[in-house]
């Protein structure tokens, strides 16, 4: 999430913590996307007919559909359709499927975490991404190996409530690292590091590491 001040970021953290997560699993992706088309088809078929799961094509009208849920204005105002879709799906889901597409990275990986939803990955290379912001992916996401792709719902349904709550607590801890914050309306400077700060720290640390190696 970007463009939120400290007060709004804190409100979002509270919202994700108390949100009623009616869906076990959600999936938001186009059916066809490069080499992952086969996997995406498999996942869509697994979700079909499951009352506690939801699949949404990003081109659908779910982002503008009227719902019973109410959302803070700062989450909805002047946001693109895809962002609204992530809010209305991930905010009410325990898990989200995040298959790779044309590359191993996808926006939904971060959107899911920003809404307090546990992302489910199917390619181990995805755990190598964004390490400055998410240093321990294994604590905030689920990895499903190829031989278990067809059993993913069975695996998720078999997870204990205690284990799920541990993942959710870890996500709450990492969420502030994902926000791009703006200045507060009162004119005060930001008091909490945001995604930009962590990226700059990572770049500086990497530059210092490389410099020390060269000078050895």
């Amino acid at each position: 999430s970007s463009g939120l001040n400290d007060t709004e970021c804190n409100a979002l953290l509270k919202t994700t913590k108390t949100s009623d997560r009616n869906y076990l699993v959600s999936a938001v992706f186009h059916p066809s996307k490069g080499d992952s088309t086969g996997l995406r088809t498999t996942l869509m078929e697994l979700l079909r007919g499951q009352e506690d799961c939801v699949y949404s094509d990003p081109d659908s009208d779910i982002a503008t559909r009227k719902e019973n849920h109410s959302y803070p204005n700062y989450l909805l105002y002047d946001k693109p359709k895809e962002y609204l879709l992530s809010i209305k799906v991930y905010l009410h889901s325990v898990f989200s499927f995040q298959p790779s597409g044309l590359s191993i990275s996808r926006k939904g990986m971060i959107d899911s975490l920003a809404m307090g939803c546990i992302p489910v990955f199917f390619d181990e290379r995805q755990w190598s991404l964004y390490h400055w912001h998410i240093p321990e992916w294994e604590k905030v996401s689920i990895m499903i190996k190829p031989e278990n792709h067809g059993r993913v719902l069975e695996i998720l349904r078999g997870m204990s409530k205690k284990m799920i709550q541990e993942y959710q607590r870890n996500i709450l801890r990492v969420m502030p690292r994902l926000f791009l914050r703006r200045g507060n309306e009162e004119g005060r400077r930001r008091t909490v590091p945001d995604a930009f700060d962590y990226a700059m720290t990572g770049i500086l640390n990497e530059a210092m590491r490389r410099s020390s190696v060269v000078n050895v």
Side-chain angles (χ1 to χ4, degrees):
S1 296
S2 61
L4 306 183
N5 60 32
D6 287 347
T7 300
E8 292 167 339
C9 286
N10 291 335
L12 178 56
L13 287 169
K14 183 177 180 180
T15 297
T16 58
K17 186 176 181 179
T18 59
S19 175
D20 53 336
R21 299 190 180 274
N22 302 319
Y23 299 123
L24 174 69
V25 179
S26 64
V28 182
F29 51 72
H30 293 285
S32 178
K33 203 74 168 180
D35 294 337
S36 69
T37 298
L39 172 59
R40 292 182 177 215
T41 300
T42 297
L43 297 179
M44 289 167 58
E45 288 299 319
L46 288 174
L47 296 181
R48 194 184 307 277
Q50 301 291 329
E51 294 184 359
D52 59 348
C53 300
V54 59
Y55 165 75
S56 296
D57 187 313
D59 291 331
S60 71
D61 65 347
I62 189 173
T64 56
R65 193 179 303 160
K66 187 175 182 179
E67 298 184 6
N68 294 326
H69 300 293
S70 60
Y71 303 92
N73 184 61
Y74 64 81
L75 285 181
L76 303 181
Y77 179 72
D78 197 27
K79 297 297 191 299
K81 179 179 177 180
E82 293 77 8
Y83 180 85
L84 300 180
L85 178 61
S86 71
I87 292 175
K88 293 189 175 186
V89 175
Y90 296 147
L91 190 58
H92 301 293
S93 303
V94 178
F95 301 100
S96 70
F97 286 163
Q98 300 295 335
S100 57
L102 297 177
S103 69
I104 59 174
S105 172
R106 65 190 311 264
K107 181 174 177 290
M109 299 169 65
I110 302 301
D111 288 342
S112 181
L113 290 174
M115 294 297 122
C117 179
I118 306 169
V120 179
F121 299 145
F122 302 87
D123 188 325
E124 292 185 354
R125 294 176 299 170
Q126 290 175 291
W127 270 0
S128 67
L129 301 171
Y130 315 121
H131 58 276
W132 291 336
H133 300 88
I134 308 166
E136 297 178 299
W137 270 110
E138 67 276 8
K139 292 186 177 181
V140 297
S141 64
I142 308 295
M143 181 63 68
I144 303 297
K145 295 183 178 180
E147 61 267 26
N148 291 323
H149 286 178
R151 299 180 51 246
V152 58
L153 286 182
E154 176 187 345
I155 292 172
L156 298 180
R157 292 189 193 281
M159 293 182 63
S160 67
K161 183 176 181 180
K162 182 179 180 181
M163 183 179 297
I164 291 173
Q165 290 175 336
E166 180 62 24
Y167 278 102
Q168 291 171 332
R169 283 192 292 269
N170 292 336
I171 288 175
L172 285 173
R173 295 187 188 105
V174 80
M175 277 176 61
R177 303 170 70 101
L178 310 178
F179 299 153
L180 279 172
R181 300 170 183 252
R182 61 179 170 83
N184 294 291
E185 294 179 358
E186 299 82 0
R188 298 194 309 268
R189 297 181 62 183
R190 291 186 292 105
T191 58
V192 180
D194 70 352
F196 178 82
D197 297 317
Y198 283 105
M200 290 298 99
T201 299
I203 291 172
L204 290 173
N205 288 340
E206 180 66 15
M208 292 174 64
R209 185 190 68 80
R210 295 190 180 190
S211 176
S212 64
V213 171
V214 171
N215 293 330
V216 169

